[in-house]
Amino acid sequence: MQGLGAAVADAIRLGYKELIQANEYFYRLSDKDLLALIVQVTGVEADNRAASLTLSCIKALKVFASFDATSVTEEEIQPPPNDYAQRPPGLPAPHSNNGHVGLNLSYTINLNLPATADQAVFNAIFRSLKEHLLSGNE
């Protein structure tokens, strides 16, 4: 099983595959040369903010990466089980309709009521809400 460093290195290789295609050992380049490679691959100007942020991101990730470690193979990658019976405790079961998983939506209504002592105003507001929002009619 691989360590965290190898996993980070694999993620860098995957995320920056255009850089690795241009230079297999791009992660060994100096900051200046790496920035030049980023500019070459992306086609942006050398003073472009995206290029400098890409360089910063790679530098930050390289601290955790171990490029000399063994890479993970396809056989070692196991997707998470797609079995509803193995879901974490407390997670509700998905709704199913004819074998299809349903989608539930909800919304929140914030109601600012007027400052009044007249009960008829409140009755009218809530009657209107019931008629238009809670009736199920579209």
Side-chain angles (χ1 to χ4, degrees):
M1 193 61 152
Q2 70 171 354
L4 176 64
V8 174
D10 285 345
I12 291 172
R13 286 184 187 106
L14 179 65
Y16 297 101
K17 65 182 172 184
E18 291 84 5
L19 294 178
I20 211 162
Q21 289 169 350
N23 183 335
E24 184 179 0
Y25 300 103
F26 76 93
Y27 51 87
R28 293 183 182 169
L29 296 174
S30 68
D31 290 354
K32 181 180 175 185
D33 292 338
L34 182 53
L35 180 60
L37 181 65
I38 292 168
V39 168
Q40 174 193 333
V41 168
T42 61
V44 299
E45 298 295 323
D47 61 349
N48 184 286
R49 182 83 172 133
S52 65
L53 290 174
T54 301
L55 174 64
S56 297
C57 184
I58 292 171
K59 285 175 56 175
L61 290 171
K62 281 182 8 180
V63 171
F64 301 102
S66 176
F67 289 97
D68 297 329
T70 307
S71 295
V72 68
T73 63
E74 290 293 325
E75 292 79 33
E76 292 175 324
I77 299 173
Q78 296 181 6
N82 193 8
D83 183 14
Y84 293 122
Q86 294 182 6
R87 68 183 170 279
L91 190 65
H95 297 286
S96 179
N97 184 12
N98 296 332
H100 300 292
V101 176
L103 174 68
N104 293 325
L105 300 175
S106 65
Y107 54 90
T108 302
I109 297 174
N110 293 316
L111 184 62
N112 294 320
L113 297 173
T116 181
D118 187 1
Q119 184 66 36
V121 172
F122 297 120
N123 288 342
I125 290 170
F126 288 107
R127 185 173 27 257
S128 179
L129 283 172
K130 181 179 177 186
E131 249 179 65
H132 298 287
L133 296 178
L134 303 176
S135 67
N137 296 334
E138 297 180 19

